[in-house]
Amino acid sequence: MDGRNGRAAGADRTPEGVGRAAWSKVDPASFDNVERGCTVIRMPGPIQSIERAAAILRLLASGARKMGVAELATALGLPKGTVRGILRTLQHVGFVEQSQDTGKYQLGAALFHIGSSYLDVNELRTRALNWSDSLAARSKESVRIGTLHEGQVLVVHHVFRPDNSSQVLEVGALLPAHASALGKVLLANDPLDQLDDAGLVGFTPATCTDPERLREMLAEVRARGWASDVEEMVEGEVSVAAPIRDRRGVTVGAIGISGPIERLCGMTGEDARTPRVELVSYVREAARAISRDLGAIPW
Amino acid sequence: MSHRYIAAIDQGTTSSRCIVFDEAGSIVSVAQKEHRQIFPKPGWVEHDAEEIWANVLDVVHGALQKMSITVHDLAAVGITNQRETTVLWDAETGVPVHNAIVWQDTRTDQLVRELAADGGQDRFRAKCGLPLATYFAGPKIRWLLDNVPGVRERAERGEVLFGTMDTWLIWKLTGRHVTDVTNASRTMLMDLATLDWDDELLAAMGVPRAMLPEIRSSAEVYGHATGTLAGLPVASALGDQQAALFGQTCYAPGEGKCTYGTGSFLLLNTGEQPVQSANGLLTTVGYKIGDQPATYALEGAIAVTGSLVQWFRDNMGLIASAPEIETLARTVEDNGGCYFVPAFAGLFAPHWRGDARGVIAGLTGYITKGHLARAVLEATAWQTREVVDAMNADSGVELTTLRVDGGMTANNLLMQFLSDVLDVPVVRPIIAETTCLGAAYAAGLAVGFWPNTDALRENWHRAAEWLPSMEAGVRERGYRKWQKAVQRTMDWIDEDDE
Ligand SMILES: Nc1ncnc2c1ncn2[C@@H]1O[C@H](COP(=O)(O)OP(=O)(O)O)[C@@H](O)[C@H]1O
């Protein structure tokens, strides 16, 4: 991908600190508001349904086990209908998930994405520094680490291809999620499902622009634990990526390599469009090593 | 399939590590273990040398086990170590007579002042390249000789031995009592020209020659290990910063590197002649490979860099982890006119003003925590600029590229700003672990695992590069403001301050 297109060139100057909304710019004018802003807030009494929702979440968080409606209702001393109604709302916002086959409930992935779960991208780079270096050294290709940012892949770390050729740092660049290995890994493991069906732009004849087919591919990526892009973004270019997980198993980023198809894929026939096995295993090993450092349980 | 790898032991200030490298210089396996920091009194810092030895054995075996390899797969082991930390032990029993005194320890403050009273702080500089300071090993040996009962007499008879951590580990591994030129150059006891202990320096410091190790090159087989690592050649020793210089393959005069960690250390290869500094830098041995002539270096130490980020995290509580400072700094466009000079314990190279204390200058009602975060990061870059200016002046060669390593190189904002204020490209090599790599390289050269330094250069690859993009006018205005802020730190401490 190096020096591939205008999108990447010079993109390293774009701010990377886009992640943390809490640190918004302080408007100097807002100092005035401090004086005036002492309105008295009347405290309402506790809202019963929120208290009950919290109790349900706490119960679900207390055990590794999934729980059914009846079980929850008994434990909380509430009518089943009430519990079912609350669960439906919690499910709607992604805070609980219902198992397809048993109908039982567990905490939802969206819950993990609020509060302390957010991993600062600069921290991710710092923690991944050594392993991404060794991935570049072993694969002899350039390495990128990406996170999802408004449906696209934000490159948060970039290691040059170790051949001392002239290359430009692409940190801060955005890549199309559906046409890159990094993006596919991130979409496949994204609990918020940020796949934008209408935004599936075709870059090459190989780009997958059909939402149905893409969803199938993502399911496969999720199952096998890695993704590839074979000339789906740029003709002649291939990328391979795997998920980086934190201690709760949440995917916080993806790491991958990219390079020309002649080096990344096999020599003949079917193999010529399949990434080489040893390169895939280097990528997956690096992803696992970083995950381990972030506290993920080895898988 | 034997002798496929080289191992390096990095005996550091907070932990000991072992990294196993392959022929391409890639990391194969890592193991690490922390040791206790012992603080008997304010300003005193000690390590238990026995604990460190046990940890070193643990991490070597740990690194081998992780990859299911054995000592027979190793061609050699090299050592790099925290510099200047001093240990004395009984030659017969091998038991240390006291905890090791760590480089940061300031108990020799009074002693150093007394020595300086007679001839000034720079009285030994022409010979050993160093000003009198508490860091160096010589005064620490003297303190132990003066304060541990019975030790001086026994040291005079060679019954108590001195070593820096390299010497201690080589002795434990092989039974040989040797050190290398880079570690010896931090004792204040070695003549930089002869690379041997100097009688005048020994007499001034009151250290008997009988307790000192033999000074050898940085890359040769000192001996073979016994015990659980039996047969393994111990083939290099380098102080940590010199090892990083070697690992960064700075083999030509004018090549230099800066390691950005808790503090930062800029070393510049000055070739086969020691260069005396007129600008407050240290003259030191860079490395010596076997019988080849020694290569010298100028060293600029910056006391507070990564530790300022830690201070910002722990004492100000504005960020939860060090890397988050970049996120915070990127919430604003620039420093808003704010400069932070972290002269927490005075100003070091090139100013050397003990009466200085830190300032945050240029504060207005506009300044937010984002601007402060920028000022914290920029402080590291401006301090580097001051040291580079001093080096250029001393050495007469202009630094053309800065090679960087260490934890702070993960910070892209800082690395770009560094390139901007130095106005030279900043490059990070693909292996950030240059300290261990340097020790591995030296050991590998000694046993023929690698043929020569050219082969090592071929292993050096750029992982990232930041090119200067700041307008000259902006750079000069920024530097002027920084220098004004530095002026404002001085003359803060008064006679009657505690
Ligand atoms: N992304 C970052 N941005 C700024 N400072 C950092 C970053 N990551 C680590 N640091 C700082 O770097 C130091 C750790 O670097 P390291 O090379 O491990 O140091 P040392 O070997 O001296 O312990 C710490 O002081 C920490 O504050």
Side-chain angles (χ1 to χ4, degrees), chain A residues 122-123 125-126, chain B residues 10 14 17 259-263 265 305-311 313 321-326 377 405-412 414:
Chain A
N122 293 308
E123 174 137 24
R125 181 187 325 106
T126 303
Chain B
D10 177 2
T14 55
R17 294 194 302 166
T259 300
Y260 289 96
T262 314
F265 295 86
T305 55
S307 56
L308 181 59
V309 177
Q310 282 169 347
W311 177 89
R313 181 193 65 196
S321 72
E324 280 179 25
I325 194 163
E326 184 171 354
L377 290 177
D405 51 67
M408 290 184 96
T409 61
N411 193 310
N412 280 318
L414 171 60

Side-chain angles (χ1 to χ4, degrees), chain A residues 121-186:
Chain A
V121 294
N122 293 308
E123 174 137 24
L124 176 59
R125 181 187 325 106
T126 303
R127 305 274 284 262
L129 200 66
N130 280 348
W131 295 112
S132 41
D133 277 0
S134 37
L135 176 57
R138 292 176 83 187
S139 66
K140 303 194 167 52
E141 302 294 347
S142 67
V143 171
R144 283 171 189 71
I145 292 179
T147 58
L148 270 191
H149 176 63
E150 290 168 2
Q152 289 185 290
V153 178
L154 173 70
V155 176
V156 301
H157 184 44
H158 174 195
V159 184
F160 290 171
R161 184 174 61 250
D163 59 6
N164 290 345
S165 65
S166 166
Q167 294 162 67
V168 177
L169 208 57
E170 284 177 19
V171 173
L174 290 169
L175 306 174
H178 67 287
S180 60
L182 288 174
K184 286 194 228 173
V185 164
L186 293 168

Side-chain angles (χ1 to χ4, degrees), chain B residues 158-396:
Chain B
E159 292 166 19
V160 165
L161 305 178
F162 153 77
T164 37
M165 293 321 276
D166 56 315
T167 305
W168 168 244
L169 294 180
I170 296 171
W171 193 84
K172 284 303 239 183
L173 284 164
T174 70
R176 305 286 170 86
H177 191 221
V178 298
T179 187
D180 95 297
V181 283
T182 67
N183 278 295
S185 77
R186 315 297 292 190
T187 57
M188 300 202 77
L189 303 175
M190 186 184 81
D191 183 342
L192 282 174
T194 63
L195 300 178
D196 198 358
W197 305 120
D198 181 80
D199 286 326
E200 188 196 333
L201 293 172
L202 292 179
M205 207 68 75
V207 172
R209 199 184 255 267
M211 72 186 304
L212 300 178
E214 186 187 342
I215 303 177
R216 306 277 285 267
S217 79
S218 321
E220 63 178 277
V221 178
Y222 307 117
H224 290 79
T226 55
T228 53
L229 297 171
L232 182 63
V234 180
S236 76
L238 289 148
D240 51 11
Q241 295 306 323
Q242 281 89 343
L245 184 77
F246 204 77
Q248 285 270 25
T249 67
C250 293
Y251 304 139
E255 291 181 334
K257 68 89 206 175
C258 193
T259 300
Y260 289 96
T262 314
S264 296
F265 295 86
L266 184 59
L267 267 74
L268 179 75
N269 181 326
T270 61
E272 293 177 12
Q273 294 302 320
V275 172
Q276 287 294 338
S277 174
N279 293 289
L281 304 172
L282 307 181
T283 309
T284 197
V285 182
Y287 56 87
K288 177 170 159 49
I289 305 168
D291 298 334
Q292 297 172 33
T295 295
Y296 294 87
L298 276 173
E299 173 174 325
I302 310 170
V304 184
T305 55
S307 56
L308 181 59
V309 177
Q310 282 169 347
W311 177 89
F312 194 67
R313 181 193 65 196
D314 300 339
N315 295 27
M316 297 295 104
L318 291 170
I319 45 174
S321 72
E324 280 179 25
I325 194 163
E326 184 171 354
T327 311
L328 182 54
R330 284 186 192 273
T331 60
V332 293
E333 289 296 309
D334 54 33
N335 66 11
C338 179
Y339 289 79
F340 195 149
V341 187
F344 290 168
L347 284 169
F348 292 85
H351 305 286
W352 299 105
R353 290 283 298 256
D355 62 347
R357 283 300 177 270
V359 298
I360 302 175
L363 285 180
T364 61
Y366 170 73
I367 297 299
T368 66
K369 56 189 176 181
H371 297 114
L372 283 178
R374 284 228 173 217
V376 161
L377 290 177
E378 291 180 7
T380 291
W382 290 122
Q383 292 183 97
T384 309
R385 168 72 192 263
E386 292 185 321
V387 168
V388 167
D389 283 0
M391 276 193 184
N392 288 345
D394 278 339
S395 68

